[in-house]
């Protein structure tokens, strides 16, 4: 699992491809800050797909709770598989 913050810039998957390639899940977090940043989610996801086309991406917001249910389901699935 890799945590990718919207405050870091969309280009991180291209700058650190090994980290993104190794991730089984990518959490795009701090999404509640998007209205205040110049961060293109679609572009960031395109970059993620270039280096890891199979990893699911879940967008998280601690302010709204967006994405936490999906993240917990992913964790449950991983635990059940183990």
């Amino acid at each position: 699992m890799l945590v990718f913050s919207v405050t870091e810039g969309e280009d991180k998957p291209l700058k650190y491809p090994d980290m993104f390639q190794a991730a089984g899940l990518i959490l795009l977090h701090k999404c509640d800050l998007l209205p205040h940043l110049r961060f293109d989610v679609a572009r960031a996801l395109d970059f993620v797909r270039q280096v890891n086309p199979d990893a699911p991406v879940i967008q998280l917001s601690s302010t709204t709770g967006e994405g936490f249910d999906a993240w917990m389901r992913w964790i449950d699935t991983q635990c059940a598989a183990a």
Side-chain angles (χ1 to χ4, degrees):
M1 180 174 61
L2 176 105
V3 179
F4 176 21
S5 173
V6 299
T7 60
E8 297 172 358
E10 320 66 24
D11 60 341
K12 291 303 179 238
L14 300 181
K15 285 186 175 182
Y16 305 104
D18 292 341
M19 284 191 328
F20 283 83
Q21 286 172 348
L25 172 71
I26 297 168
L27 298 174
L28 182 61
H29 83 117
K30 297 187 182 180
C31 289
D32 48 294
L33 297 177
L34 286 170
H36 309 288
L37 300 171
R38 292 185 179 179
F39 184 92
D40 185 336
V41 173
R43 185 171 185 221
L45 295 178
D46 284 343
F47 291 153
V48 167
R49 293 291 159 242
Q50 286 179 34
V51 297
N52 190 339
D54 299 321
V57 177
I58 299 173
Q59 296 183 36
L60 296 177
S61 168
S62 294
T63 303
T64 67
E66 172 191 4
F68 280 88
D69 287 342
W71 184 20
M72 294 300 109
R73 282 191 303 275
W74 182 86
I75 291 172
D76 288 343
T77 302
Q78 298 304 306
C79 289

